[in-house]
Each structure stands twice: as C-alpha cells, then as structure tokens.
Amino acid sequence: MNNQKMKIESVKNINEIHEKFSEYGRNAKEWQRKCALLLGDIEKFEVWKKKGFLSIYIYAAKLAGMNKFQVDEALRIFRKIEDKPALLAVAEKKGLYAVRPVANVATVETDKYWAKYAKEMPKNELEMFVKNSKDGNAVKVDIGDDNNTFCDSDLSTHKEKILMMRVKPEVATKLEKFYQGDWNALMEKLIELYEKDLDRELQNEKPEPVVNASKHMPQKIENYVLKRSHGKCEFPGCDKNYDHFHHANRYASNRVHDPDKIVALCEAHHGLAHKGLIDHEEKLPKNWKIRKEPDYTNLNWFVDEKIQFFR
Ligand SMILES: [Zn+2]
C-alpha cells in the first residue's frame, strides 16, 4: 500500500470513528435525559426499593450510569416543576435541564409564562432572562403574578466584592488620602468623573451616521462602539464580553449605521433583544430594561419576526 493511499484510508477511518462516536453520544445523552425525567416517579413510588436496591443512587448508577450529583439535580428540578404541567411538558421535550433556569422562580400561576420562554430560548439566554428579571432590571408588567417573582431580592446585586489592586506607591498614598471611611463613595465619585470624561471624549470623536449603507459597518463606527463599550456587553450590569454589534434601530428596516444605535451585546442579550424583550431599545443601553413580554406594537419586533420567518 502506498503512502498516499494509507493517508486517505486513515482520514476516512478517523472520520468514520468520529461520526459513530458523535452519533452514539447524541443517543446516550437523549436516553440519559429520559432516565433523568423518570427519576421523580422512581423516588415517589420507591421503585428502587421494590426492585431490591439499597438506594435510588445505587439504582441510578447501576442501571443508567448516573452519578449522585446528576440524580440530586434531576430530583431537585423535578420537585420544583412536578405541579406545573406546562414546564413538565417542556422538560419532556427538551430535558429537565432545559427548565433548570426557571425551576426556582416559576409558580403554579406563572407556569405557562415561563414554559413559553423555556421552550423557545437557548439555555444561556433563558438564564440571563431570569437573572435580569430578578435583579430589579425588569419592567414590571402585571401578568397576574401575585408572588411578584420580579421583586425577589434574594439574589439582588447588593452583595459586596473584594478587589485586590496592584498600584504604584504614589497612587496608593493618594487613594488613602481621599479615603474617608467609605470606599464605595470614593470609587463611585471617581467612576462618575471618569465616565463624564469619557463621555466628553466620545462626543467629540463620534462618527456621523452612515445612511444608505452596505451591510458592512464602517471601521470608525466599530472602533467608536468598542471604545464606548470597552469590548463588553453594554446591557446594564452585564460583565460578559461582547459577541455582536446590535443595530437597535434594525439595519434591515433603514440601512443606517448610527453609532448611537449600534450596541455591543453578549450572545444572550443579543438573543433577548431580537425577541423584543428589551425595553427602551431606542435609547442608550444604560436605560435598557428587560421586559416581561415582547412589545408587539414595536416595529423592531415586527421586523425581527419577519427575518426569523424567512430564515
Ligand atoms: Zn450581556
């Protein structure tokens, strides 16, 4: 066998092995999802005991190769949603883990509401939606939710963080001099001044909007948005790096690249924006809030739906 032929054969072999492994893995995941969903009933009816096992953990490990963490997590989620038919239906379709982000916040009254989003959103987007809805960054719209999930302050952002800084001695001396027993007050003041300064700089450097433009965004506008966002997602409170330059006024509807209307967003917030779940999208992102429901009267929502349809 010559070298060339051996090479082709081995490439073919590698691809075949890889294809098989991927396919089996996909099936294994699907079957494990099905197993996880059955665990709730297995616990309720003590199936493991009746079949002679010492515990549900041994039962799940021996029969499905599940570890203790997987069993506990599946049972925890199941207990949270077992009285919520809409979420149970989503779990049956997409697996228990797909509803995990909403398991703690959903109530019997809001079951359908959360199920709708758990069904249509990818996991990271759903997690962000729940987080922003909770941390006070949400618009309060009455959907008959008496438990007021959106005012839940358990996970509020008021926890303190410890920062370690390595600075020059002269900077340290100055900071110590300014410090009046409250680091928050001093840092907030410094940040305010810094932001004012940056705002002024940005105003002076702001490129003109480009109208009737090709889809490609001009470099100077990209640079401007990067400078304003520091390469991070611009949704208030989000610390993720940006993944998308988002046209808040939808390029598809007017073919304009306006630096004030182009916002750097992470994957999750970009997804939420295109589902119509950002309030005040026409304003600068510091005014943005998460909506409970899309604004169906908004032109952007209409454009996004249309684009989604043609995709
Ligand atoms: Zn973000």
Side-chain angles (χ1 to χ4, degrees):
M1 203 187 285
N2 65 34
N3 274 352
Q4 186 61 19
K5 203 177 167 203
M6 261 172 75
K7 228 181 188 170
I8 292 169
E9 293 244 316
S10 67
V11 168
K12 199 179 142 212
N13 251 340
I14 284 168
N15 284 340
E16 248 172 45
I17 294 168
H18 173 72
E19 290 298 323
K20 269 189 189 166
F21 193 84
S22 309
E23 192 201 331
Y24 298 166
R26 261 196 308 278
N27 287 329
K29 275 189 202 158
E30 196 191 324
W31 286 106
Q32 199 150 72
R33 270 206 300 273
K34 288 180 200 261
C35 283
L37 206 58
L38 279 178
L39 280 175
D41 283 342
I42 287 165
E43 190 198 35
K44 201 153 62 182
F45 301 116
E46 294 193 314
V47 176
W48 53 275
K49 206 186 235 177
K50 285 164 189 149
K51 291 293 168 189
F53 289 83
L54 285 175
S55 72
I56 192 169
Y57 299 117
I58 298 175
Y59 180 88
K62 287 235 164 111
L63 298 183
M66 294 176 81
N67 64 33
K68 185 173 179 301
F69 174 78
Q70 289 169 315
V71 174
D72 281 341
E73 192 55 5
L75 287 175
R76 186 187 71 81
I77 302 168
F78 182 79
R79 282 182 208 124
K80 295 267 184 197
I81 66 161
E82 63 181 325
D83 57 345
K84 302 174 185 94
L87 279 172
L88 267 177
V90 177
E92 256 153 44
K93 237 190 170 141
K94 290 178 77 180
L96 265 184
Y97 298 113
V99 301
R100 176 162 54 185
V102 300
N104 278 338
V105 292
T107 61
V108 173
E109 292 76 21
T110 57
D111 175 31
K112 276 192 190 147
Y113 170 77
W114 289 114
K116 183 180 78 180
Y117 290 118
K119 196 172 152 193
E120 68 184 34
M121 283 180 182
K123 203 167 135 266
N124 67 335
E125 213 174 291
L126 186 64
E127 276 168 1
M128 194 60 91
F129 183 53
V130 173
K131 181 177 174 286
N132 288 157
S133 301
K134 270 184 177 173
D135 61 16
N137 224 330
V139 185
K140 290 181 183 65
V141 180
D142 186 22
I143 57 158
D145 167 14
D146 292 334
N147 290 335
N148 217 349
T149 316
F150 280 54
C151 286
D152 183 358
S153 59
D154 301 349
L155 285 164
S156 72
T157 47
H158 300 300
K159 284 180 198 154
E160 295 199 317
K161 276 188 179 179
I162 295 174
L163 283 185
M164 304 266 270
M165 290 186 290
R166 192 180 281 273
V167 293
K168 287 192 262 178
E170 55 269 33
V171 175
T173 309
K174 276 197 176 160
L175 276 177
E176 279 160 8
K177 203 162 122 187
F178 293 150
Y179 174 65
Q180 297 292 318
D182 184 354
W183 280 116
N184 280 320
L186 174 58
M187 287 306 174
E188 275 163 13
K189 182 83 197 157
L190 290 176
I191 290 167
E192 191 192 317
L193 291 172
Y194 175 81
E195 279 178 343
K196 252 187 207 158
D197 203 48
L198 183 66
D199 272 356
R200 226 184 343 254
E201 218 173 280
L202 283 167
Q203 279 306 326
N204 290 336
E205 292 171 9
K206 195 193 297 185
E208 287 295 317
V210 181
V211 284
N212 280 330
S214 73
K215 208 163 169 24
H216 185 76
M217 180 166 59
Q219 191 61 45
K220 59 183 176 182
I221 295 185
E222 182 175 329
N223 292 347
Y224 174 83
V225 177
L226 277 176
K227 183 168 177 178
R228 188 186 65 211
S229 62
H230 306 276
K232 296 276 183 183
C233 173
E234 293 185 88
F235 188 89
C238 185
D239 59 0
K240 299 228 172 340
N241 289 334
Y242 89 98
D243 294 304
H244 299 273
F245 289 117
H246 171 65
H247 286 68
N249 59 349
R250 301 298 182 276
Y251 170 82
S253 42
N254 55 24
R255 301 191 175 274
V256 172
H257 298 297
D258 179 346
D260 280 336
K261 297 282 159 60
I262 296 173
V263 181
L265 290 180
C266 70
E267 191 69 43
H269 281 120
H270 186 243
L272 292 174
H274 281 287
K275 288 197 174 64
L277 290 166
I278 305 272
D279 208 40
H280 295 312
E281 207 184 334
E282 74 287 354
K283 294 187 186 163
L284 286 174
K286 64 180 174 193
N287 303 298
W288 286 13
K289 283 183 186 302
I290 287 290
R291 298 180 58 86
K292 273 193 163 187
E293 300 275 8
D295 177 4
Y296 300 113
T297 62
N298 190 303
L299 181 67
N300 282 352
W301 182 82
F302 180 73
V303 172
D304 290 342
E305 282 294 295
K306 228 173 169 177
I307 290 174
Q308 199 66 29
F309 179 78
F310 283 113
R311 269 182 196 151

